[in-house]
Amino acid sequence: MSNCSHCIMKRFNALKTLTHDELERFSDHKTSIIIKKGENIMTEGNSINGLYCIQDGKCKLTKLNTNGKEQIIKFIKGGDILGHRSILSEEPVGLNATALEDMRVCFIPKGDILESIKDNPQFSLNLIKNISLQLSHANTAISQMAQKPVKDRLAETLLSLEEIFGVDNEDCIDVILTREEIANTIGTATESAIRLLSNLKKDGVIDLLGKKIKIINKNALKNISEGY
Amino acid sequence: MSNCSHCIMKRFNALKTLTHDELERFSDHKTSIIIKKGENIMTEGNSINGLYCIQDGKCKLTKLNTNGKEQIIKFIKGGDILGHRSILSEEPVGLNATALEDMRVCFIPKGDILESIKDNPQFSLNLIKNISLQLSHANTAISQMAQKPVKDRLAETLLSLEEIFGVDNEDCIDVILTREEIANTIGTATESAIRLLSNLKKDGVIDLLGKKIKIINKNALKNISEGY
DNA sequence: TCCTATTTATGACAAATATCATTTATTTTT
DNA sequence: AAAAATAAATGATATTTGTCATAAATAGGA
């Protein structure tokens, strides 16, 4: 099994402040998991007893509404970590993490994480910063959901998806989402999302190649996202 | 000037884990401030060099949208703290904190807070829990903004306002908000908020006494907030 | 206390968005 | 490769929500 000391994860996030000894301890206790597309890494309301390091693959963090609708809160990719909020706050997981494609994930038991939090102030500070940043993004999202029309939110979401996942060799946003998932991200009906995507294509702002989306005019998209 | 050791604040929040010595240190360095209705305690984008303890009074945390609209993210009252997120994440303040009425606030310099964070793991853990809880609430808010109609969100907000501020001696929700502020909380036009409030009154679910709002049928309101 | 400014309220209408129905395209299964 | 299932696209229509206009009520200042 691979060793945490050499893992790409430690280039990212809070993990980069871990010492060699801490990484060795993680290595000894970690388990590697394969999550198939559509499966959950974590499930809303469940308790969790460790930290997940995403080696490879993408997932969506969702919340099920009282009306049965799924809201996508955030996207996660290789190099991200999951579960630290729940460990720190000692509360159940608040979101579902569902694989958008097959994933490789490492699980590090809670005990090891807590030990590093106790011993390594820089590590815990970085975890706090991570959560703070998420809160800051969430507040922005509340504001935009509440006050921007669907078209603006779609434009914003497309820009943000390209930001997060980058582009493939055909310059398409490098993530495969159904139209329903896009709708569940911006908070609208699937048909509305489809219609607005078609309009953006007609206006030459984006191109649609099956499920793949290519941003053609990023400036136009930025303007739309700001209501122009 | 009053002493932190005897302050009501230490019954609440993260501050309850502070030692007597820490509180004495806070006492020596703290300043008391009066914030007049309409004034800002903190302003979006500004940096901050301490923690605010709300002794008395209410304020709103808002975000100004690119389209110039104000979104109310959260309400704050006596016993709450402000600014800890910014201190921990070493980032500018993300929200405006504007007094809804005259307020008494204590300011504790950043240095003292950071010292306690370093020395007192329980204190920093409680700060983290506070931020985590806020994140959890924010995610719920995103989901509801995105997927619930305005009427449901209004019902939800009224229940939540009563939860936060309690009721006065006439059983009215104990906070004075303009209709515009209510609209900016649920993310709708002022006229829409007014209309829906009128409807709720007509249906006997709430009563409107000037700016004061009394919840008459809490169950009906709960049902509305869940889409029934 | 009166005057003025702001806030609340309500109607009329316009725009945005959702829902339903149907067709076409794509993916998955057999 | 064909059949079945799922997803995407689009039109028609209903509903929700926003905007503008105006009147009534309330609050704040001279």
Side-chain angles (χ1 to χ4, degrees):
Chain A
M1 192 179 285
S2 62
N3 186 302
C4 294
S5 301
H6 309 121
C7 176
I8 56 113
M9 287 296 300
K10 80 183 173 68
R11 276 189 273 142
F12 303 105
N13 291 311
L15 302 185
K16 65 175 170 240
T17 60
L18 293 170
T19 65
H20 187 265
D21 283 359
E22 287 173 318
L23 287 169
E24 285 297 325
R25 189 175 64 210
F26 283 14
S27 259
D28 290 347
H29 299 157
K30 80 163 201 290
T31 49
S32 284
I33 312 167
I34 299 292
I35 310 276
K36 287 287 196 180
K37 177 177 175 176
E39 289 178 358
N40 272 15
I41 303 178
M42 315 185 309
T43 300
E44 200 177 347
N46 285 8
S47 57
I48 199 178
N49 53 354
L51 180 79
Y52 292 97
C53 297
I54 313 303
Q55 302 299 318
D56 195 53
K58 309 174 177 92
C59 74
K60 58 180 177 183
L61 301 188
T62 67
K63 221 175 154 60
L64 204 60
N65 231 327
T66 41
N67 52 23
K69 287 182 195 162
E70 168 187 290
Q71 178 63 37
I72 296 181
I73 303 286
K74 188 175 154 65
F75 292 97
I76 296 288
K77 63 172 190 279
D80 289 334
I81 54 178
L82 279 180
H84 49 304
R85 192 202 64 92
S86 186
I87 290 179
L88 288 168
S89 69
E90 292 172 300
E91 275 180 27
V93 170
L95 303 169
N96 302 295
T98 310
L100 293 167
E101 52 189 47
D102 293 356
M103 301 180 81
R104 287 189 305 122
V105 175
C106 280
F107 177 80
I108 298 157
K110 187 173 173 172
D112 293 329
I113 302 296
L114 289 178
E115 216 160 311
S116 283
I117 286 172
K118 197 153 53 76
D119 298 350
N120 187 338
Q122 196 56 45
F123 175 60
S124 48
L125 193 59
N126 278 336
L127 288 175
I128 296 171
K129 282 188 188 179
N130 177 305
I131 295 171
S132 290
L133 196 62
Q134 278 186 61
L135 177 57
S136 170
H137 286 161
N139 286 339
T140 303
I142 292 171
S143 177
Q144 300 198 337
M145 283 293 181
Q147 309 212 331
K148 284 192 175 177
V150 178
K151 188 179 178 183
D152 303 25
R153 283 166 12 220
L154 174 59
E156 172 80 34
T157 294
L158 292 177
L159 289 167
S160 142
L161 285 172
E162 186 174 284
E163 188 76 23
I164 295 169
F165 293 114
V167 294
D168 63 14
N169 49 17
E170 281 174 304
D171 283 333
C172 292
I173 298 171
D174 199 9
V175 63
I176 299 286
L177 298 172
T178 64
R179 298 295 192 252
E180 189 181 9
E181 283 169 329
I182 292 175
N184 291 347
T185 306
I186 64 183
T188 190
T190 305
E191 296 93 325
S192 297
I194 289 173
R195 251 181 266 272
L196 291 168
L197 283 170
S198 297
N199 290 349
L200 288 176
K201 178 179 178 175
K202 206 168 56 194
D203 296 344
V205 178
I206 63 171
D207 201 5
L208 300 172
L209 306 143
K211 288 205 204 327
K212 284 277 184 180
I213 300 173
K214 186 187 329 197
I215 294 178
I216 292 174
N217 189 341
K218 195 180 284 195
N219 264 327
L221 219 43
K222 266 182 199 148
N223 286 336
I224 293 168
S225 80
E226 280 164 19
Y228 302 114
Chain B
M1 191 179 289
S2 63
N3 187 302
C4 293
S5 301
H6 310 121
C7 174
I8 55 112
M9 286 297 301
K10 77 183 177 69
R11 276 190 272 142
F12 303 105
N13 291 310
L15 302 183
K16 64 174 173 243
T17 60
L18 293 171
T19 65
H20 187 267
D21 282 357
E22 287 172 318
L23 287 169
E24 286 296 328
R25 190 176 62 209
F26 283 13
S27 261
D28 290 346
H29 299 159
K30 80 161 199 287
T31 50
S32 284
I33 313 167
I34 299 290
I35 310 277
K36 288 285 193 183
K37 178 178 175 177
E39 288 178 357
N40 272 14
I41 304 177
M42 315 186 308
T43 301
E44 198 177 351
N46 284 8
S47 57
I48 197 178
N49 53 354
L51 181 78
Y52 292 96
C53 297
I54 313 303
Q55 302 301 318
D56 196 50
K58 309 176 178 93
C59 73
K60 58 180 177 183
L61 301 187
T62 68
K63 222 177 152 61
L64 202 62
N65 232 328
T66 42
N67 52 24
K69 289 183 193 159
E70 168 187 289
Q71 178 63 37
I72 296 182
I73 303 287
K74 189 174 155 66
F75 292 97
I76 296 290
K77 62 171 192 276
D80 288 334
I81 53 176
L82 280 181
H84 49 303
R85 193 204 64 91
S86 186
I87 290 180
L88 288 168
S89 69
E90 294 172 298
E91 274 181 29
V93 171
L95 302 170
N96 303 295
T98 309
L100 294 168
E101 53 188 47
D102 292 356
M103 302 181 78
R104 287 188 306 119
V105 175
C106 280
F107 176 81
I108 297 157
K110 188 173 170 172
D112 293 330
I113 301 297
L114 289 176
E115 216 160 314
S116 283
I117 286 172
K118 198 152 55 74
D119 297 352
N120 187 339
Q122 196 55 45
F123 175 61
S124 48
L125 194 59
N126 278 337
L127 289 176
I128 296 171
K129 281 188 188 178
N130 177 305
I131 295 172
S132 290
L133 197 62
Q134 278 187 59
L135 178 57
S136 171
H137 287 161
N139 286 338
T140 303
I142 292 172
S143 178
Q144 298 197 338
M145 284 293 181
Q147 309 212 330
K148 282 190 175 179
V150 177
K151 187 178 179 183
D152 303 25
R153 297 192 325 248
L154 173 60
E156 173 78 34
T157 294
L158 292 177
L159 289 167
S160 145
L161 284 173
E162 186 173 284
E163 188 75 24
I164 295 169
F165 293 113
V167 295
D168 64 14
N169 49 16
E170 282 175 303
D171 282 335
C172 292
I173 298 172
D174 199 10
V175 64
I176 300 285
L177 297 173
T178 65
R179 300 294 192 253
E180 189 181 8
E181 284 170 329
I182 293 175
N184 291 348
T185 307
I186 65 183
T188 191
T190 305
E191 296 95 324
S192 297
I194 290 172
R195 250 181 266 272
L196 290 168
L197 283 169
S198 299
N199 290 348
L200 287 175
K201 178 179 180 175
K202 206 169 58 196
D203 296 346
V205 178
I206 63 172
D207 202 3
L208 301 173
L209 306 144
K211 287 205 207 325
K212 284 276 186 182
I213 299 172
K214 185 184 334 196
I215 294 177
I216 293 173
N217 189 340
K218 197 181 283 198
N219 265 329
L221 219 44
K222 266 184 198 145
N223 286 336
I224 293 168
S225 80
E226 281 164 17
Y228 302 114

